[in-house]
Amino acid sequence: MKYEDVHHKIPIESRTYQEDSRYIVDVIEELMQSAIEKGNNKIVLNTNLKYGLPMENINKIAGPIIEAWAFEVFHDIKDDINNTFHLVNVESLPRLNKADILLQFEKTDLSISANIDVKATSEDIKNSGKSPNITSYRVIRTAYVNDPDLIFVVLSIKHKVYSRRNYQTSLMDGVMEIVKYNAYDLKFLGDADISYNPSLGTGQIQVKDIHYVDYKFRTTWEFCQLLDQKYLNSSKRSFDDWYREAVKYKWIKE
Protein backbone atom coordinates (compact mmCIF):
# COMPACT_ATOMS: atom_id res chain seq x y z
CA MET A 1 0.00 0.00 0.00
CA LYS A 2 1.09 3.57 -0.76
CA TYR A 3 0.11 6.92 0.71
CA GLU A 4 -2.06 7.62 -2.35
CA ASP A 5 -3.98 4.37 -1.86
CA VAL A 6 -5.21 5.23 1.64
CA HIS A 7 -8.80 6.38 2.21
CA HIS A 8 -7.96 9.67 3.87
CA LYS A 9 -10.36 11.75 5.91
CA ILE A 10 -10.33 14.99 3.95
CA PRO A 11 -10.97 18.06 6.12
CA ILE A 12 -12.81 20.88 4.36
CA GLU A 13 -12.66 24.36 5.84
CA SER A 14 -15.36 27.04 5.58
CA ARG A 15 -15.45 29.48 2.69
CA THR A 16 -14.55 32.36 5.02
CA TYR A 17 -11.41 30.74 6.42
CA GLN A 18 -8.90 32.99 4.62
CA GLU A 19 -10.87 36.09 5.53
CA ASP A 20 -11.14 35.05 9.19
CA SER A 21 -7.46 34.13 9.36
CA ARG A 22 -6.38 37.45 7.85
CA TYR A 23 -8.60 39.36 10.25
CA ILE A 24 -7.13 37.64 13.31
CA VAL A 25 -3.52 38.03 12.17
CA ASP A 26 -4.13 41.73 11.46
CA VAL A 27 -5.75 42.27 14.87
CA ILE A 28 -2.89 40.55 16.69
CA GLU A 29 -0.28 42.67 14.92
CA GLU A 30 -2.32 45.83 15.53
CA LEU A 31 -2.51 45.05 19.26
CA MET A 32 1.24 44.43 19.42
CA GLN A 33 1.95 47.72 17.63
CA SER A 34 -0.46 49.59 19.91
CA ALA A 35 1.29 48.22 23.01
CA ILE A 36 4.65 49.42 21.69
CA GLU A 37 3.34 52.88 20.75
CA LYS A 38 1.72 53.32 24.18
CA GLY A 39 4.89 52.29 25.99
CA ASN A 40 3.24 49.16 27.34
CA ASN A 41 6.07 47.05 25.97
CA LYS A 42 8.44 46.93 28.92
CA ILE A 43 8.55 44.16 31.51
CA VAL A 44 10.47 45.15 34.65
CA LEU A 45 12.19 42.34 36.57
CA ASN A 46 13.49 43.30 40.02
CA THR A 47 16.63 41.56 41.21
CA ASN A 48 19.11 42.04 44.02
CA LEU A 49 21.96 40.83 41.81
CA LYS A 50 24.62 43.56 41.90
CA TYR A 51 25.29 43.38 38.20
CA GLY A 52 21.75 42.76 37.01
CA LEU A 53 20.39 39.90 34.94
CA PRO A 54 22.77 37.45 33.22
CA MET A 55 22.33 38.72 29.67
CA GLU A 56 24.06 35.77 27.99
CA ASN A 57 21.39 33.40 29.36
CA ILE A 58 18.35 35.66 29.38
CA ASN A 59 16.81 33.85 26.41
CA LYS A 60 16.35 30.77 28.65
CA ILE A 61 13.77 32.55 30.82
CA ALA A 62 12.34 34.97 28.26
CA GLY A 63 9.77 32.60 26.75
CA PRO A 64 7.26 32.30 29.61
CA ILE A 65 7.70 35.97 30.55
CA ILE A 66 6.97 37.21 27.03
CA GLU A 67 4.03 34.79 26.82
CA ALA A 68 2.59 36.22 30.07
CA TRP A 69 3.01 39.76 28.69
CA ALA A 70 1.16 38.88 25.47
CA PHE A 71 -1.65 37.27 27.48
CA GLU A 72 -2.08 40.48 29.49
CA VAL A 73 -2.14 42.62 26.35
CA PHE A 74 -4.97 40.49 24.93
CA HIS A 75 -6.77 40.28 28.27
CA ASP A 76 -6.75 44.06 28.74
CA ILE A 77 -8.39 44.51 25.34
CA LYS A 78 -11.00 41.87 26.14
CA ASP A 79 -11.87 43.65 29.40
CA ASP A 80 -12.44 46.93 27.54
CA ILE A 81 -16.16 46.78 26.71
CA ASN A 82 -15.59 49.41 24.02
CA ASN A 83 -12.90 47.44 22.19
CA THR A 84 -13.44 47.52 18.46
CA PHE A 85 -11.76 44.18 17.83
CA HIS A 86 -14.73 42.08 19.01
CA LEU A 87 -12.37 40.10 21.24
CA VAL A 88 -14.67 38.40 23.77
CA ASN A 89 -12.56 35.72 25.45
CA VAL A 90 -8.89 35.16 26.29
CA GLU A 91 -7.59 31.99 27.91
CA SER A 92 -4.13 30.90 28.96
CA LEU A 93 -3.80 27.30 27.82
CA PRO A 94 -2.21 24.61 30.01
CA ARG A 95 1.32 23.38 29.49
CA LEU A 96 1.73 20.78 26.72
CA ASN A 97 -1.26 22.18 24.85
CA LYS A 98 -0.69 22.75 21.15
CA ALA A 99 -0.69 26.54 21.75
CA ASP A 100 -0.20 29.04 24.58
CA ILE A 101 -3.23 31.34 24.34
CA LEU A 102 -6.77 30.94 23.04
CA LEU A 103 -8.54 33.98 21.61
CA GLN A 104 -12.22 34.14 20.67
CA PHE A 105 -13.78 36.82 18.52
CA GLU A 106 -17.38 37.63 17.71
CA LYS A 107 -18.21 38.00 14.04
CA THR A 108 -21.87 38.85 13.43
CA ASP A 109 -23.65 35.81 14.87
CA LEU A 110 -20.59 33.54 14.77
CA SER A 111 -17.58 32.96 17.03
CA ILE A 112 -14.05 32.65 15.65
CA SER A 113 -11.33 31.03 17.75
CA ALA A 114 -7.58 31.30 17.29
CA ASN A 115 -4.81 29.31 18.94
CA ILE A 116 -1.77 31.53 19.55
CA ASP A 117 1.72 30.05 19.91
CA VAL A 118 4.06 32.71 21.34
CA LYS A 119 7.74 32.49 20.37
CA ALA A 120 10.25 34.84 22.01
CA THR A 121 13.50 35.77 20.28
CA SER A 122 16.28 38.08 21.42
CA GLU A 123 17.23 41.16 19.44
CA ASP A 124 20.67 41.06 21.09
CA ILE A 125 21.59 37.40 20.52
CA LYS A 126 22.37 36.31 16.98
CA ASN A 127 20.10 33.50 15.68
CA SER A 128 18.11 33.50 18.92
CA GLY A 129 14.96 31.43 18.43
CA LYS A 130 15.60 31.26 14.69
CA SER A 131 14.22 27.74 14.15
CA PRO A 132 11.76 27.06 16.97
CA ASN A 133 9.76 23.92 17.57
CA ILE A 134 6.13 24.86 16.96
CA THR A 135 4.15 21.81 17.97
CA SER A 136 4.01 18.04 17.73
CA TYR A 137 3.36 16.64 14.25
CA ARG A 138 0.82 14.19 15.68
CA VAL A 139 -0.99 16.88 17.66
CA ILE A 140 -1.30 19.43 14.85
CA ARG A 141 -2.12 16.83 12.18
CA THR A 142 -4.94 15.46 14.34
CA ALA A 143 -6.15 18.96 15.22
CA TYR A 144 -6.67 19.89 11.55
CA VAL A 145 -8.63 16.70 10.89
CA ASN A 146 -10.86 17.31 13.89
CA ASP A 147 -11.30 21.02 13.12
CA PRO A 148 -10.74 22.01 9.47
CA ASP A 149 -11.28 25.66 10.49
CA LEU A 150 -8.46 25.60 13.05
CA ILE A 151 -6.59 28.91 13.03
CA PHE A 152 -3.14 28.38 14.51
CA VAL A 153 -1.13 31.60 14.70
CA VAL A 154 2.59 31.75 15.40
CA LEU A 155 3.32 35.04 17.16
CA SER A 156 7.03 35.83 17.00
CA ILE A 157 8.04 38.54 19.50
CA LYS A 158 11.52 40.09 19.53
CA HIS A 159 12.83 41.64 22.72
CA LYS A 160 15.97 43.23 24.08
CA VAL A 161 17.06 43.18 27.71
CA TYR A 162 19.05 45.67 29.74
CA SER A 163 19.62 46.50 33.41
CA ARG A 164 19.23 49.83 35.18
CA ARG A 165 19.76 50.96 38.77
CA ASN A 166 16.58 51.59 40.76
CA TYR A 167 17.63 54.37 43.13
CA GLN A 168 14.49 54.02 45.25
CA THR A 169 15.16 50.38 46.12
CA SER A 170 18.94 50.40 45.55
CA LEU A 171 18.41 47.25 43.48
CA MET A 172 18.90 46.50 39.82
CA ASP A 173 15.88 46.44 37.53
CA GLY A 174 16.08 44.15 34.55
CA VAL A 175 14.02 45.52 31.68
CA MET A 176 12.71 43.24 28.95
CA GLU A 177 11.51 45.46 26.11
CA ILE A 178 9.41 44.19 23.21
CA VAL A 179 10.73 45.79 20.03
CA LYS A 180 9.41 43.78 17.06
CA TYR A 181 6.75 41.21 16.24
CA ASN A 182 5.29 39.13 13.42
CA ALA A 183 2.20 36.95 13.32
CA TYR A 184 1.65 34.08 10.86
CA ASP A 185 -1.08 31.54 10.23
CA LEU A 186 0.89 28.28 10.31
CA LYS A 187 -1.28 26.81 7.55
CA PHE A 188 -0.21 29.51 5.11
CA LEU A 189 3.56 29.40 5.57
CA GLY A 190 5.62 28.58 2.48
CA ASP A 191 6.50 24.95 1.77
CA ALA A 192 10.20 25.55 2.39
CA ASP A 193 9.57 27.42 5.64
CA ILE A 194 8.14 24.37 7.41
CA SER A 195 10.44 21.56 8.48
CA TYR A 196 10.11 18.35 10.45
CA ASN A 197 12.36 17.36 13.35
CA PRO A 198 12.01 13.62 14.12
CA SER A 199 13.18 14.08 17.71
CA LEU A 200 10.68 13.69 20.56
CA GLY A 201 7.73 11.35 20.07
CA THR A 202 6.25 11.54 16.59
CA GLY A 203 8.45 14.56 15.85
CA GLN A 204 8.15 18.34 15.92
CA ILE A 205 7.03 20.79 13.28
CA GLN A 206 9.48 23.69 13.03
CA VAL A 207 9.75 27.00 11.19
CA LYS A 208 13.18 27.12 9.52
CA ASP A 209 13.69 30.86 9.99
CA ILE A 210 10.90 32.52 11.92
CA HIS A 211 12.16 35.99 10.98
CA TYR A 212 11.87 35.49 7.22
CA VAL A 213 8.93 33.50 5.88
CA ASP A 214 6.86 33.31 2.72
CA TYR A 215 3.09 32.96 2.53
CA LYS A 216 1.23 30.43 0.42
CA PHE A 217 -2.54 30.09 0.57
CA ARG A 218 -3.65 26.48 0.71
CA THR A 219 -6.57 24.39 1.91
CA THR A 220 -6.58 22.47 5.16
CA TRP A 221 -6.29 19.20 3.26
CA GLU A 222 -3.32 20.52 1.26
CA PHE A 223 -1.65 21.48 4.52
CA CYS A 224 -2.25 18.04 6.01
CA GLN A 225 -0.64 16.51 2.93
CA LEU A 226 2.34 18.86 3.29
CA LEU A 227 2.79 17.83 6.92
CA ASP A 228 2.59 14.17 5.91
CA GLN A 229 5.23 14.61 3.22
CA LYS A 230 7.58 16.33 5.67
CA TYR A 231 7.11 13.33 7.97
CA LEU A 232 7.51 10.70 5.23
CA ASN A 233 10.60 12.41 3.76
CA SER A 234 12.44 12.03 7.05
CA SER A 235 15.07 9.31 6.94
CA LYS A 236 13.84 8.12 10.35
CA ARG A 237 10.21 7.59 9.31
CA SER A 238 8.53 5.10 7.02
CA PHE A 239 5.10 4.70 5.49
CA ASP A 240 4.38 1.96 8.05
CA ASP A 241 5.14 4.46 10.82
CA TRP A 242 2.78 6.98 9.25
CA TYR A 243 0.03 4.41 8.70
CA ARG A 244 0.21 3.31 12.32
CA GLU A 245 -0.26 6.94 13.45
CA ALA A 246 -3.03 7.49 10.91
CA VAL A 247 -5.01 4.52 12.21
CA LYS A 248 -4.41 5.38 15.86
CA TYR A 249 -5.45 9.02 15.53
CA LYS A 250 -8.18 8.44 12.94
CA TRP A 251 -6.77 10.38 10.00
CA ILE A 252 -8.11 7.74 7.62
CA LYS A 253 -11.36 5.91 6.99
CA GLU A 254 -11.09 2.41 8.35
Side-chain angles (χ1 to χ4, degrees), residues 19-243:
E19 176 189 334
D20 296 339
S21 169
R22 185 71 263 166
Y23 174 79
I24 287 172
V25 169
D26 287 347
V27 165
I28 290 171
E29 292 195 334
E30 188 173 340
L31 292 178
M32 294 295 104
Q33 183 61 33
S34 176
I36 291 174
E37 291 175 354
K38 291 178 179 178
N40 185 29
N41 61 324
K42 295 180 180 67
I43 304 164
V44 179
L45 308 172
N46 299 115
T47 174
N48 61 353
L49 294 173
K50 294 180 180 178
Y51 302 104
L53 297 171
M55 298 301 178
E56 67 276 10
N57 292 314
I58 198 65
N59 59 313
K60 295 181 180 179
I61 65 170
I65 296 172
I66 295 293
E67 178 189 327
W69 172 85
F71 174 79
E72 289 193 5
V73 169
F74 296 133
H75 206 278
D76 287 348
I77 292 296
K78 188 268 295 183
D79 285 346
D80 180 1
I81 60 174
N82 296 315
N83 88 78
T84 59
F85 302 106
H86 309 291
L87 180 58
V88 295
N89 187 42
V90 179
E91 295 179 25
S92 180
L93 297 174
R95 188 174 176 270
L96 300 181
N97 197 285
K98 61 180 176 291
D100 301 312
I101 301 170
L102 177 68
L103 304 182
Q104 290 179 300
F105 298 82
E106 276 187 352
K107 182 183 179 184
T108 59
D109 58 341
L110 300 175
S111 174
I112 308 172
S113 297
N115 289 264
I116 314 301
D117 189 27
V118 181
K119 297 300 179 188
T121 63
S122 173
E123 178 84 342
D124 306 312
I125 303 174
K126 186 177 180 181
N127 294 329
S128 166
K130 179 181 176 182
S131 303
N133 286 333
I134 301 301
T135 188
S136 157
Y137 162 74
R138 171 187 59 78
V139 168
I140 199 67
R141 178 64 166 86
T142 304
Y144 277 109
V145 171
N146 293 338
D147 181 9
D149 286 321
L150 173 68
I151 297 177
F152 187 97
V153 176
V154 180
L155 174 57
S156 171
I157 298 179
K158 266 196 172 185
H159 63 276
K160 59 182 180 181
V161 182
Y162 51 90
S163 295
R164 65 188 181 193
R165 177 70 63 184
N166 185 323
Y167 292 100
Q168 291 182 327
T169 64
S170 298
L171 301 176
M172 293 294 288
D173 285 343
V175 180
M176 192 172 290
E177 181 178 357
I178 285 75
V179 293
K180 295 178 183 177
Y181 57 87
N182 286 104
Y184 317 106
D185 186 331
L186 178 66
K187 194 172 95 173
F188 293 148
L189 291 184
D191 292 7
D193 293 316
I194 297 172
S195 61
Y196 171 77
N197 181 348
S199 303
L200 300 176
T202 57
Q204 292 284 314
I205 298 301
Q206 297 180 321
V207 176
K208 285 186 178 179
D209 188 342
I210 200 168
H211 307 308
Y212 301 97
V213 300
D214 293 323
Y215 246 53
K216 178 180 179 179
F217 291 110
R218 56 171 72 86
T219 66
T220 301
W221 172 229
E222 288 170 338
F223 187 60
C224 287
Q225 291 176 288
L226 176 65
L227 294 177
D228 291 344
Q229 290 310 308
K230 299 287 183 179
Y231 178 94
L232 290 167
N233 288 339
S234 169
S235 60
K236 295 186 178 181
R237 304 299 183 194
S238 66
F239 173 76
D240 288 341
D241 294 329
W242 179 88
Y243 189 78

